[in-house]
Amino acid sequence: MMERRRMDAALLVLFLGHLAAALEVPLDLPQPPTITYQSPKDYIIDPRENIIIHCEAKGKPHPSFSWTRNGTHFDIDEDPNVTMKPHSGTLVVDISRAKAEQYECVYQCTARNKHGTAVSNNIVVRQSRSPLWSKEKIKPIVVQEGVSLVLPCRPPVGLPPPIIFWMDNYFQKLPQSSRVSQSLNGDLYFANVLREDSRNDYICYARFPYTQTIQQKQPITVKVLNMDAINDTMAAFYNDTDLFSEEPADDRKPTFLVPSGPSSSKTVLRGQVLEMECIAEGLPTPEISWTKVSGVLPAKRTSFLHYQRTLRIVNVSESDAGDYRCTGRNQLGSVHHTIHVTVKAAPYWISGTPRNLVLAPGENGVLTCRASGTPKPSITWAMNGIPIENSPKDLSRKVEDDTIIFTDVQTGSSAVYQCNVSNDYGYLLSNAFVNVLSEPPRVLTPANKVYQVIKNHRALMDCASFGSPIPKIEWFKDSRSSTLDGDPYIHHDNGTLEIQVAQAVNSGKYTCVARNMLGIYENHIYLEVKEPTRILKQPEYKVVQRGRSAVFECKVKHDPSLIPTMTWLKDDGELPDDERLIVDSDSLTITDVTENDAGVYTCIMNTTLDHDSASAELTVVEATPTPAVLSERPDPPTDLELTDQKKRSVQLTWTPGDEHNSPIQKFLIQYEDILHHRGHWHNLTEVLGTKTTAHLKLSPYVHYTFRVLALNAVGFSRPSFPSRMFKTEAAAPDENPTGIQGFGTEHDNLVISWKPLTSLQSNGPGLHYKVMWRQKTVDSEWTTVTVANTSKFVVSGTPTFVPYELKVQAVNDHGAGPEPVIAHGYSGEDLPVAAPENVQAVVRNSTVADVHWDPVPSKLIRGHLKGYKVYYWKERNLHKHNPHHSDQQVLTFSGNHTHGMLPGLHPFSLYSFNVRVYNGKGEGPASLTQQFETPEGVPGPPTSLIVTNPNLDSLTLEWNPPHVHNGRITGYTLKYQPGNTQTSHPIAQSPSLRPPRKALPVSPFVNVNSSVGESGALISWEYWGPENNIYVEYKNQNSEAEEEWQKKLVNGSQTYMLKELKGGISYRVRLVAKGHHDQPLHLSKELVVTVPAVASRQVDIATQGWFIGLMCAIALLILILLIICFIQRNKGGKYPVKEKEDAHTDPEFQPMKDDDCTFGEYSDNEDHKPLKGSRTPSNGTVKRDDSDDSLVDYGEGGDGQFNEDGSFIGQYSGKSASRDTAEGHESSEAPSPINAMNSLNSFV
C-alpha cells in the first residue's frame, strides 16, 4: 500500500510540474553547504604522524564547522593538541604531546550556514598496529620422506592484517609448487615431503603495510629422513625433537588438509573479493581443480592462485552465490569438498546518490534515495541533520519511503536533506540540498570559444547554463533566421548541440540563447570543420639482402591548418637509436641492413585532432639468395567502382593487384558504416579469386564505403583504398523487436519488455516503438503508447494478476514495421486472499494421515499457483494429560493438488494442522486449524526385566514400562523358553491397566469449550453430524423457562463470539443441531459461562504523589539510622584504633595514607570479622551472602566505597580486590568505535 501511495504521489508531481534537474550552482549565489571532501569511514592512521581528519565543504555564505566525537559535541578549543584548519573543517591532531590511542574514536563533521546543515559520514579513526612476534622456542621437526607436513606461521594480529611470505636466511623466497604452497592464513603446506626439503631456515615473515615494518618468526628446522636414517639418528634427536612418523610412507590417495569435512560454507559481501582454498595431501602430489556446481565460473573475474589451490573471484555479485566444488586427484583416487557461498550486500546506490535540487518559488521537485542491499536496507531521512519526523512541518513537503516530494515550494524552504540507508553490513549517507532561488539565466560556457572537429566526425558544442527557473536553450547559426532543429542537429538536455556527421558547410558562428521568465542571455561560439589526415602512399612489404638499404615511404595528406607530426615505430616500439636509420618528412631509410633490422615498421601521422597509421614488414635475406622463386603477399586491388545502384543493392568491381608468384585464392569485401559505426570495418562477403565483381545486398539507412583484400598462399594483401560513399535510402523497419515478455514487479503494474533493434535493423532515423496491450477478453480495446528507443515500458494501475495480450511494433520516421505477433503476459501478483476450505484429515494408520482440501479459486490466488503448504504440529500424546507442543513442520505440495500425505507421525497423538495456498508472491492466509488423532501403535519393549527370588519351582519377574507407549498399555504377555528347546510358551498375561473403551457419544458435538475475553464469550466446538442448521443457544442460568433460550445461527462455523452477554451474570450455553421437522434435535452438553463484572475505576495509591513522598522520607530516615548505627559500631569496638596501631605487629599493616585519606587494612583477627550477614571464604576475601544487609546496598553505584573523603573504606565493601581491578580496567577502557561502523546513530 505504501508503494502504491508513493507511486501515485510521484505521478502527481509529474503532472503538476517539471522535475528540476541536478544543477551546479555558481558559488556567487546563495546555497546550502555541500561536503566536497571527507576522510573515509574506516580511517586507519599511522601512529608516528599527526592525525588529519578531513572535512571540506562549500556554500554561500561559507559554512562553519563543528565536530562530534563518539556521539557527543567535541569542543576543539578545550583540547590543546587539536586545531582546525582556517576556512575548513579539517582537524589536525598533534601527537607529539599525546598518544594516538587517545584519539581512536568515532568522529562526525557538521557544516552549516543560514541555508542548511550538511553532515559527514561517521569517521572511525583507528591507528595501525604492528605487534612483535611472541618469543617461542621451536624444536626441530623430523619427518619421514613422503608424509605431509604443515609449518605454522601464526603471525601477530595487526591492523590492517599483515602480508605473509616465507624466505630463508638470505632473504630469498622459498620455492613453492603444486607440492609446497602457502595457505591464505600464512601456513606452509607440504602435500608430501622430499629429502631436498631438509633445511634449517624456514622463516615466516609478516609485513605490516601502514608502518612498512617486517617481523620475522624464529627459523624452523626440518629434517627429512627415510626409515633407515630415522633409525640411525633417533638417538641424536630423541631428547629435543618431534618424531612425526614411524611407518614407511606409501603411495596414498588424496585427503584434504584444508578445509576439513565434506562441506563448508562461506559468506562474502557484494563487490568484495571471494577467496576459497583447498589444500590436499597425498602421494603422488594431488592436482586441484575447481567447478561451480550450480553454474559456471565467471571467466573474466576468476583467477587461480597458489598452484590451483586458491580460487579467487573479484567484484563479487549476487550471481556468484552457490556451491563450489574443489577436487583433489592423483593416480590412486580423488577427494571432493563442497563450499556453499552466500552473497550478502551492504547498501549500494541503484540510480546514484540523491541530487541537489534548484527550484524557483512555486515549482515542484523530487528527491529520490534509491538503494538496495541484502538484507533489504532501511531508509531514514533527516533535514539539516535532524530526523525529519522531528523537523518543522512543511506543507510543501511529503515523505514517501525513499522519496521526498516537493510541491509549490516557497522562498525560505532551502535546506539540506540527509538520506541514511543501512542494513547489517553497512550504511550509506548522502546529503542533497533543496535551494529555492529566483535567478535570471546565465551561460557558463566561455564566450567566443572555438571548437575544431574532423570532417565526418561528431561535433559537440556546449552551452552550460544556470538559472531558476531552469532556462530554455535555443541555438542559432550565423544570421539567426531560425532555430536549429531537426537533422543534422541533436539537442541534449544539458544544452549541448550535436552534429553527428560534421561537414565543411557546418563551419561558422553559432549562438546559444538561454531564457527564462526573469531574463535572457546569449553566447557565441565558433565551429571549424577540418579535413581528415590520410596516408596516401603506404609503406610496402620489402625483402632486402643483408648489407643493402631499405626505404619505406609514407606520404600523408592533412588539413593545412593543423600541424602534423610523423612518428615511426618498429614492432610497436621505438626505433633503435642507430645512425643507420634516417627519418625524413615522408620516408624511413635503413642503410646497411642486418638481420636485427627485420620486423614490422609503422608510420603514424598525428595532428592535434586525429591521426592515421600504416605498417609494412621488412624481411632480411642473405646477400647471395638462392634462385628459388620467392612468393609474397598480393598487392591490394585497385580501381574500385560502384555500378547498378539500387535501393538495397549495388555492384562492386575492382582490378586485382600483382599476385607475386602465388595465385589469388579469394577476395574479401569489407564495409564501413560512416553514419553509425565510423572507423569499424565489417566483413560483408567473399568471392572466388577468379572474379572481379560482386553483387552486394545492402540495408537501408547506411552510409557505405567498401574496400577489398586479396588472399594468396602467403596471406592477405593490404586493404584497397576505400570506394566512394554509397548511401542507401531510409525505409520503414523490416522487423519488430523479439523476446516480448509481460510480467509485474508490483501488484498493480505490468512491465512489457523486449529486445530492441540494432542501428542496422532500424532502417531509418527516429526509431521508436509502439507498445500495445489489452486484457485478454473479447470486448477489450487495445491501449497504445509510443516510447523512445528503449527496451521496456511499465503500465501502472493494472488489476492484480490479469492476463494481457501484448504487441510491440518498431516505427521510424519512414513508417512502421510489419504487423507484430501477439505475445502474452500477466500483470503483477499479490498475496492470495483466501484459504483452502473443507480441510479434512483421514488417518491411514498410526504414522500416516491424508489431508484433503478444496482448491482455492484462481481469482483469489492472485498469481501463478505454485502449490499448497500444510503446516502441522503435534499437540500432545493422548496417554498424557500435559500438553507437549512440538515444532511446526511444513510439507509443500507443488502444483494444483487437493490432497497430500503427512508421513512420520507419532502414534496415539493429537495433531493440529492448517493449509495455505502460495503463489509467486508468497503465502495466503491459513485455513481453519483442524485436529486429528492417530491410533495406537505397537508399544516399545519394556525398559528392563529382572529375575528375583528364584526357587526350585518358582521365580519372580520385575520389569519397567517401555519408554515408547504408543497408546495405553493394557497388559503384558510373558513368555518363557526352556534351555533345551526353541519353543516359547506363554505363561501369563497381566490384567488390563485401563477399563474397556467407552462407546462413542450420542451427541454429534464434541470438544465444546468456552473462553471469556474483553470482546465477549468465545464458544468453540467440533461437529460430525449430518444436520445443516446449527445454533448456539444461551439464557440466564437462573431462568427455567424453555422459551427464553436465545438463538444464534452458526452454520458452517466451529466458533462463535457471544457479544450480548452482560457482566456479572452466569449463562447456560448449548449447541443445537436441527434437521427436518420430523427429526429429533441433537443437543450438546451445556456450558456455564460467567461474564465478570466491570470493575469500577479505582485510584492506584502507588501512583499518588503524597504516597511516593512518604515512602522517600521513610527510606531517607532508615538510611540516616543505618549510618548512625555504623558510626556507633566503629566507635564502640573492642580496641581503640590508636591501641591497634601501637600493638600491631603484622608486617602487612598499612597506616593511613596522607595523599588520599584512606585507611590501611588491619590484620587483627577480631577486626577481620566481616559485617553482619557476610561470610569469609577460605581465601580471605569477603563475599556477600544472599541475605547481605551491608551499606553497599544503599550506596550509589554499588562498588563498596564512598568518594575520596575517607568516610568509608573498600575493606568493608564485601568485594574482592580482583573484582575492583577488573572493574577499574573496564571503566578506563576507551569506547570501541567499531559498533558505529554499520549504522549512523545521529545526524548532529
Side-chain angles (χ1 to χ4, degrees):
M1 195 66 186
M2 180 66 71
E3 291 292 328
R4 178 63 178 269
R5 290 200 302 269
R6 184 179 65 80
M7 184 177 297
D8 291 344
L11 292 175
L12 175 63
V13 171
L14 290 174
F15 285 117
L16 289 178
H18 73 278
L19 295 178
L23 295 177
E24 188 68 23
V25 183
L27 277 177
D28 61 334
L29 296 179
Q31 57 184 291
T34 300
I35 292 182
T36 58
Y37 181 68
Q38 57 182 307
S39 294
K41 296 178 182 178
D42 191 4
Y43 188 25
I44 301 177
I45 60 171
D46 190 335
R48 301 167 300 183
E49 299 177 356
N50 288 344
I51 304 172
I52 301 177
I53 309 175
H54 295 279
C55 180
E56 303 292 342
K58 66 178 181 178
K60 182 70 173 182
H62 190 73
S64 60
F65 298 87
S66 62
W67 286 84
T68 62
R69 182 166 67 175
N70 294 336
T72 61
H73 176 68
F74 181 27
D75 192 346
I76 299 170
D77 296 333
E78 294 295 325
D79 193 330
N81 300 321
V82 181
T83 58
M84 184 184 294
K85 289 186 177 181
H87 309 292
S88 167
T90 298
L91 297 182
V92 178
V93 182
D94 183 2
I95 64 169
S96 62
R97 296 173 295 175
K99 294 184 177 179
E101 292 90 339
Q102 300 176 9
Y103 296 94
E104 289 186 299
C105 302
V106 182
Y107 297 86
Q108 188 177 37
C109 172
T110 301
R112 57 170 55 88
N113 64 15
K114 65 180 181 180
H115 300 295
T117 301
V119 297
S120 72
N121 294 318
N122 274 349
I123 303 172
V124 182
V125 175
R126 296 183 293 167
Q127 68 164 329
S128 62
R129 289 177 170 83
S130 52
L132 297 176
W133 226 298
S134 59
K135 296 295 183 180
E136 59 178 332
K137 182 180 180 181
I138 302 177
K139 297 180 180 179
I141 299 174
V142 177
V143 292
Q144 183 192 340
E145 185 175 11
V147 303
S148 63
L149 177 63
V150 181
L151 299 185
C153 180
R154 301 190 188 98
V157 178
L159 182 68
I163 300 171
I164 306 301
F165 50 93
W166 289 80
M167 296 198 300
D168 58 16
N169 278 330
Y170 300 99
F171 297 99
Q172 299 298 316
K173 283 192 174 183
L174 295 174
Q176 298 189 21
S177 62
S178 59
R179 184 180 62 85
V180 183
S181 63
Q182 178 181 317
S183 66
L184 293 177
N185 69 353
D187 294 347
L188 193 63
Y189 282 81
F190 296 76
N192 50 76
V193 294
L194 303 177
R195 292 292 296 275
E196 54 263 30
D197 295 328
S198 297
R199 60 191 306 153
N200 60 359
D201 57 352
Y202 285 97
I203 305 174
C204 182
Y205 289 85
R207 181 169 67 86
F208 297 88
Y210 265 72
T211 58
Q212 294 299 320
T213 57
I214 297 178
Q215 310 274 356
Q216 78 172 60
K217 187 184 179 75
Q218 292 293 324
I220 301 176
T221 297
V222 175
K223 189 171 183 62
V224 181
L225 303 175
N226 56 29
M227 197 60 195
D228 295 335
I230 289 178
N231 293 331
D232 294 339
T233 60
M234 183 181 295
F237 285 91
Y238 183 80
N239 293 328
D240 59 352
T241 60
D242 294 328
L243 194 59
F244 279 22
S245 176
E246 296 180 358
E247 297 296 332
D250 297 328
D251 289 357
R252 59 193 180 279
K253 64 182 294 187
T255 59
F256 279 125
L257 299 173
V258 173
S260 59
S263 63
S264 59
S265 61
K266 192 176 185 65
T267 300
V268 65
L269 291 184
R270 177 182 183 271
Q272 293 188 350
V273 177
L274 170 62
E275 289 186 328
M276 298 174 285
E277 67 176 352
C278 285
I279 302 177
E281 68 90 18
L283 194 63
T285 301
E287 296 294 331
I288 304 297
S289 61
W290 292 85
T291 58
K292 186 177 182 182
V293 178
S294 52
V296 296
L297 295 173
K300 294 183 179 180
R301 296 183 291 113
T302 301
S303 59
F304 300 94
L305 309 176
H306 303 146
Y307 303 91
Q308 296 287 121
R309 282 159 172 74
T310 301
L311 171 63
R312 191 173 193 262
I313 301 177
V314 299
N315 193 20
V316 170
S317 65
E318 288 80 356
S319 62
D320 296 321
D323 292 334
Y324 295 80
R325 175 177 293 174
C326 61
T327 302
R329 181 179 287 106
N330 65 10
Q331 292 87 331
L332 301 182
S334 61
V335 62
H336 306 279
H337 184 90
T338 301
I339 303 175
H340 180 73
V341 174
T342 302
V343 178
K344 300 291 185 179
Y348 59 92
W349 300 116
I350 296 177
S351 55
T353 59
R355 293 176 292 180
N356 297 331
L357 285 180
V358 178
L359 302 174
E363 284 192 317
N364 309 318
V366 171
L367 277 182
T368 303
C369 182
R370 200 66 51 82
S372 183
T374 306
K376 183 179 180 181
S378 61
I379 298 176
T380 58
W381 287 94
M383 186 184 79
N384 294 331
I386 301 173
I388 201 163
E389 58 270 14
N390 299 333
S391 301
K393 300 297 182 183
D394 188 349
L395 297 179
S396 66
R397 181 184 68 224
K398 186 177 182 181
V399 180
E400 295 284 352
D401 193 20
D402 61 356
T403 303
I404 302 181
I405 303 170
F406 299 92
T407 308
D408 192 22
V409 298
Q410 299 301 320
T411 304
S413 299
S414 298
V416 183
Y417 291 85
Q418 288 83 32
C419 170
N420 188 347
V421 187
S422 62
N423 66 9
D424 295 339
Y425 297 97
Y427 75 93
L428 295 173
L429 173 66
S430 179
N431 295 274
F433 65 64
V434 176
N435 198 8
V436 182
L437 286 175
S438 292
E439 187 69 20
R442 63 172 76 177
V443 175
L444 306 179
T445 302
N448 301 316
K449 184 174 181 179
V450 178
Y451 290 90
Q452 294 181 333
V453 66
I454 295 297
K455 182 181 177 181
N456 294 326
H457 283 63
R458 184 174 64 168
L460 294 172
M461 293 173 282
D462 295 330
C463 184
S465 64
F466 179 82
S468 184
I470 297 177
K472 179 182 178 182
I473 305 299
E474 293 179 322
W475 283 90
F476 300 90
K477 185 175 184 294
D478 296 334
S479 63
R480 298 183 59 175
S481 59
S482 61
T483 59
L484 302 180
D485 295 319
D487 193 38
Y489 302 105
I490 299 175
H491 293 267
H492 292 273
D493 293 339
N494 62 355
T496 298
L497 180 66
E498 177 182 352
I499 304 175
Q500 283 191 321
V501 183
Q503 301 296 325
V505 69
N506 300 128
S507 297
K509 175 183 176 181
Y510 288 80
T511 302
C512 142
V513 178
R515 69 176 78 233
N516 66 10
M517 59 188 295
L518 301 177
I520 185 170
Y521 192 101
E522 67 179 37
N523 192 33
H524 302 295
I525 64 169
Y526 297 87
L527 176 64
E528 297 177 355
V529 179
K530 305 292 185 179
E531 289 295 324
T533 301
R534 290 289 179 264
I535 296 178
L536 300 179
K537 183 172 180 58
Q538 301 179 354
E540 298 178 349
Y541 172 77
K542 293 186 178 297
V543 178
V544 178
Q545 295 179 1
R546 183 165 56 87
R548 302 253 180 131
S549 298
V551 178
F552 291 105
E553 291 185 298
C554 186
K555 295 184 178 181
V556 180
K557 177 184 177 182
H558 62 85
D559 192 284
S561 63
L562 300 178
I563 301 176
T565 302
M566 176 72 75
T567 303
W568 286 89
L569 303 177
K570 180 191 176 189
D571 297 331
D572 294 330
E574 294 183 358
L575 287 179
D577 186 9
D578 192 331
E579 60 183 10
R580 296 183 301 107
L581 276 68
I582 304 171
V583 177
D584 293 326
S585 60
D586 57 0
S587 66
L588 169 66
T589 302
I590 307 174
T591 61
D592 193 15
V593 172
T594 65
E595 289 81 355
N596 294 332
D597 296 326
V600 177
Y601 290 84
T602 303
C603 74
I604 303 175
M605 176 61 72
N606 288 292
T607 68
T608 54
L609 297 181
D610 67 341
H611 72 277
D612 196 9
S613 63
S615 300
E617 184 177 358
L618 171 63
T619 300
V620 180
V621 296
E622 290 296 328
T624 54
T626 60
V629 177
L630 183 63
S631 298
E632 299 179 10
R633 298 177 183 178
D635 288 342
T638 58
D639 303 329
L640 273 66
E641 186 177 354
L642 299 176
T643 59
D644 193 20
Q645 301 176 7
K646 298 180 180 179
K647 286 188 176 181
R648 297 200 181 186
S649 66
V650 71
Q651 182 168 293
L652 175 66
T653 61
W654 62 89
T655 301
D658 191 344
E659 296 181 347
H660 290 295
N661 302 317
S662 177
I664 296 176
Q665 300 173 356
K666 65 179 180 180
F667 291 100
L668 172 64
I669 301 171
Q670 297 179 329
Y671 75 93
E672 177 189 16
D673 182 2
I674 298 178
L675 181 61
H676 301 108
H677 299 287
R678 169 177 295 275
H680 295 275
W681 289 91
H682 308 275
N683 294 340
L684 181 61
T685 187
E686 295 178 351
V687 296
L688 295 176
T690 57
K691 293 186 176 183
T692 58
T693 62
H695 189 74
L696 308 178
K697 294 182 179 180
L698 309 178
S699 298
Y701 194 53
V702 178
H703 295 180
Y704 285 99
T705 56
F706 303 98
R707 70 182 186 184
V708 183
L709 292 84
L711 176 69
N712 64 7
V714 179
F716 274 105
S717 70
R718 296 188 309 276
S720 68
F721 285 109
S723 70
R724 62 182 175 86
M725 184 186 300
F726 178 68
K727 298 181 180 180
T728 55
E729 297 180 1
D734 295 327
E735 55 186 310
N736 290 312
T738 57
I740 300 172
Q741 293 181 324
F743 56 92
T745 57
E746 301 292 341
H747 67 88
D748 58 352
N749 74 1
L750 170 67
V751 179
I752 305 172
S753 65
W754 59 89
K755 181 181 179 182
L757 300 183
T758 64
S759 58
L760 198 62
Q761 295 171 319
S762 65
N763 284 7
L767 177 65
H768 56 279
Y769 300 99
K770 185 185 293 184
V771 182
M772 296 162 277
W773 71 91
R774 68 178 179 184
Q775 291 192 25
K776 197 174 181 180
T777 55
V778 177
D779 56 349
S780 61
E781 297 293 334
W782 287 96
T783 302
T784 304
V785 297
T786 300
V787 300
N789 189 5
T790 183
S791 62
K792 69 178 180 179
F793 178 76
V794 180
V795 182
S796 302
T798 63
T800 301
F801 196 68
V802 172
Y804 278 85
E805 293 181 332
L806 315 170
K807 294 193 295 184
V808 180
Q809 187 177 30
V811 184
N812 63 18
D813 294 346
H814 292 265
E819 179 64 24
V821 297
I822 296 177
H824 299 88
Y826 280 84
S827 57
E829 298 181 86
D830 205 348
L831 295 176
V833 296
E837 297 183 351
N838 196 21
V839 178
Q840 299 176 355
V842 178
V843 179
R844 286 191 183 183
N845 52 47
S846 60
T847 60
V848 177
D850 286 333
V851 177
H852 298 264
W853 60 87
D854 291 341
V856 176
S858 58
K859 291 184 178 180
L860 302 179
I861 297 176
R862 303 203 297 178
H864 294 286
L865 173 64
K866 298 297 184 181
Y868 292 85
K869 293 185 179 181
V870 179
Y871 289 78
Y872 64 100
W873 61 95
K874 177 181 173 182
E875 295 283 0
R876 60 184 174 85
N877 293 322
L878 293 176
H879 72 277
K880 296 181 180 179
H881 296 289
N882 57 320
H884 177 69
H885 296 281
S886 61
D887 293 336
Q888 194 177 65
Q889 295 179 275
V890 183
L891 281 180
T892 301
F893 301 95
S894 301
N896 192 15
H897 285 271
T898 58
H899 65 277
M901 183 180 69
L902 305 183
L905 304 177
H906 293 280
F908 204 56
S909 300
L910 175 64
Y911 279 87
S912 297
F913 72 97
N914 57 53
V915 185
R916 309 178 190 189
V917 67
Y918 72 98
N919 59 18
K921 193 75 172 181
E923 299 178 7
S927 67
L928 293 176
T929 299
Q930 306 289 340
Q931 292 186 330
F932 63 87
E933 297 179 0
T934 54
E936 294 183 319
V938 177
T943 56
S944 65
L945 177 63
I946 303 173
V947 178
T948 60
N949 301 327
N951 296 318
L952 293 176
D953 57 352
S954 67
L955 53 83
T956 301
L957 298 179
E958 296 180 0
W959 62 88
N960 289 322
H963 284 305
V964 181
H965 287 206
N966 286 342
R968 294 187 176 92
I969 303 299
T970 58
Y972 295 87
T973 299
L974 306 180
K975 296 183 179 181
Y976 74 94
Q977 175 177 300
N980 57 356
T981 180
Q982 298 296 323
T983 304
S984 299
H985 304 276
I987 58 175
Q989 183 164 343
S990 66
S992 174
L993 299 181
R994 64 174 183 176
R997 183 183 294 272
K998 296 181 179 179
L1000 289 175
V1002 176
S1003 172
F1005 295 98
V1006 295
N1007 295 334
V1008 181
N1009 295 296
S1010 67
S1011 61
V1012 179
E1014 294 181 358
S1015 302
L1018 179 65
I1019 311 300
S1020 62
W1021 65 89
E1022 294 182 12
Y1023 178 71
W1024 53 269
E1027 288 82 7
N1028 293 327
N1029 297 322
I1030 310 298
Y1031 298 89
V1032 174
E1033 297 184 348
Y1034 66 94
K1035 70 176 182 177
N1036 194 311
Q1037 185 180 16
N1038 299 325
S1039 175
E1040 297 296 335
E1042 190 67 24
E1043 62 275 4
E1044 293 183 6
W1045 286 97
Q1046 303 292 324
K1047 296 183 179 180
K1048 298 292 182 181
L1049 183 64
V1050 294
N1051 289 350
S1053 177
Q1054 292 185 337
T1055 61
Y1056 185 77
M1057 178 69 73
L1058 291 175
K1059 300 181 179 180
E1060 298 82 0
L1061 306 185
K1062 298 180 179 179
I1065 300 177
S1066 296
Y1067 292 86
R1068 295 164 58 194
V1069 182
R1070 68 185 182 185
L1071 289 154
V1072 179
K1074 183 177 181 181
H1076 297 293
H1077 60 86
D1078 57 347
Q1079 294 178 339
L1081 297 177
H1082 293 288
L1083 304 177
S1084 72
K1085 68 176 182 179
E1086 289 189 6
L1087 301 175
V1088 176
V1089 178
T1090 301
V1091 181
V1094 180
S1096 62
R1097 184 175 181 85
Q1098 297 182 359
V1099 178
D1100 187 358
I1101 190 174
T1103 63
Q1104 299 302 302
W1106 64 268
F1107 179 76
I1108 296 174
L1110 178 61
M1111 292 297 101
C1112 292
I1114 295 175
L1116 181 61
L1117 180 60
I1118 294 174
L1119 179 61
I1120 293 173
L1121 293 175
L1122 288 173
I1123 293 174
I1124 294 173
C1125 293
F1126 176 75
I1127 295 173
Q1128 291 298 325
R1129 175 181 175 88
N1130 287 338
K1131 290 182 177 180
K1134 198 167 188 180
Y1135 302 102
V1137 174
K1138 180 62 178 175
E1139 293 177 6
K1140 292 185 179 182
E1141 292 179 353
D1142 295 339
H1144 205 293
T1145 58
D1146 195 323
E1148 295 181 357
F1149 168 74
Q1150 298 177 2
M1152 178 182 291
K1153 303 175 185 178
D1154 294 332
D1155 54 346
D1156 59 356
C1157 298
T1158 59
F1159 289 99
E1161 297 185 0
Y1162 292 96
S1163 60
D1164 188 282
N1165 291 333
E1166 287 206 28
D1167 286 334
H1168 274 175
K1169 291 181 180 179
L1171 297 180
K1172 182 178 180 181
S1174 299
R1175 296 178 181 175
T1176 304
S1178 58
N1179 61 0
T1181 60
V1182 179
K1183 296 184 179 179
R1184 296 178 56 187
D1185 198 357
D1186 294 338
S1187 60
D1188 189 359
D1189 194 24
S1190 70
L1191 286 179
V1192 177
D1193 296 335
Y1194 303 98
E1196 296 179 356
D1199 59 356
Q1201 64 181 26
F1202 295 131
N1203 295 329
E1204 296 179 1
D1205 58 357
S1207 59
F1208 188 52
I1209 310 306
Q1211 179 183 352
Y1212 304 102
S1213 66
K1215 294 187 178 182
S1216 65
S1218 62
R1219 179 172 177 180
D1220 292 341
T1221 303
E1223 290 182 354
H1225 292 170
E1226 179 181 351
S1227 63
S1228 64
E1229 183 180 356
S1232 173
I1234 305 304
N1235 297 330
M1237 287 295 292
N1238 293 332
S1239 176
L1240 185 60
N1241 295 326
S1242 65
F1243 289 94
V1244 181

